[in-house]
Amino acid sequence: MNIYYFFRPAGQSSLSKYEQLPGIGGETPRSPDGAMVPLRRKGSAEYGGYGTRREGSNETEERVRQMEMRLAVSEKSNRALLEEVLRLQSDLRTTARRSEETLREERESRHQLSEAIKISNDLISQLSLRIKETEEKIEDEKETLNTLFSHTKNVEKSVVVSHQEIQQRRDAQQVK
């Protein structure tokens, strides 16, 4: 004979936040004396042809009481399990909402980051193009300066040669 007891954790009130829930398996019909299954105590006809009342009747009543106790413990256990399932479902919904919100925020952040990268890449491309154009202009200017420098040297040589020729003519004229 096993008797199971349902203990409420210390500090928990006897009132549940799920008292509005229907009883598990519906209401159990009970006799006026509180027994789940009414015991027949009158003549053998009420026993359904099982014979007359005997000593085993007390044993049967005891077994029925034990079954009622077991059933009550099972109902309490089932109620506690149902409350735990409802709490877990609520926690799961809350966690799912948080996860969805976090995912939405991450998507938004990723989109903003993607846009910022795109803008930066466009700016880098524009700057690269400008740098390339500037480098080409600098190269053209260097070539122009080299050409101008070369031309200036040639002009200087011509001036020096012309000056020498003029000096030689003067010297030649003075000798004559």
Side-chain angles (χ1 to χ4, degrees):
M1 167 170 73
N2 293 333
I3 298 177
Y4 300 95
Y5 295 97
F6 177 78
F7 293 102
R8 185 176 322 281
Q12 251 188 4
S13 71
S14 63
L15 295 177
S16 167
K17 63 180 180 178
Y18 301 105
E19 289 298 325
Q20 73 275 8
L21 295 174
I24 297 175
E27 288 297 318
T28 305
R30 295 188 183 263
S31 67
D33 64 350
M36 289 182 66
V37 178
L39 297 175
R40 298 181 185 132
R41 296 190 176 145
K42 296 184 181 171
S44 64
E46 290 180 18
Y47 281 101
Y50 289 110
T52 60
R53 185 175 180 166
R54 33 186 177 160
E55 291 289 322
S57 164
N58 285 337
E59 187 178 308
T60 305
E61 287 179 12
E62 180 62 26
R63 291 177 78 193
V64 167
R65 274 194 292 276
Q66 289 176 0
M67 291 299 287
E68 285 178 348
M69 286 185 351
R70 289 180 190 165
L71 183 60
V73 168
S74 294
E75 285 177 350
K76 286 180 182 179
S77 176
N78 287 344
R79 170 72 63 176
L81 289 173
L82 179 61
E83 289 175 358
E84 183 66 14
V85 166
L86 291 174
R87 184 188 65 78
L88 290 173
Q89 285 177 339
S90 175
D91 290 349
L92 182 63
R93 280 189 218 106
T94 302
T95 303
R97 271 188 243 119
R98 285 182 193 151
S99 296
E100 288 174 3
E101 184 176 320
T102 301
L103 183 61
R104 182 183 52 76
E105 288 173 356
E106 286 177 0
R107 283 182 183 157
E108 185 176 318
S109 296
R110 189 179 305 135
H111 178 71
Q112 289 174 351
L113 185 60
S114 175
E115 289 297 318
I117 290 172
K118 183 179 177 184
I119 290 170
S120 296
N121 286 340
D122 288 345
L123 183 60
I124 289 170
S125 296
Q126 290 175 1
L127 291 175
S128 296
L129 184 63
R130 286 182 183 175
I131 289 171
K132 187 176 180 181
E133 289 173 354
T134 304
E135 286 175 346
E136 288 174 357
K137 285 181 182 178
I138 289 172
E139 194 62 36
D140 286 346
E141 288 177 3
K142 279 183 180 179
E143 288 178 15
T144 304
L145 281 175
N146 286 337
T147 305
L148 183 61
F149 186 68
S150 176
H151 181 68
T152 304
K153 281 187 173 186
N154 289 336
V155 169
E156 284 178 355
K157 284 181 184 178
S158 296
V159 168
V160 168
V161 169
S162 294
H163 189 277
Q164 286 176 355
E165 286 178 1
I166 292 175
Q167 191 65 28
Q168 285 176 357
R169 283 186 199 160
R170 277 190 199 161
D171 289 340
Q173 282 179 358
Q174 283 179 356
V175 174
K176 288 185 184 184

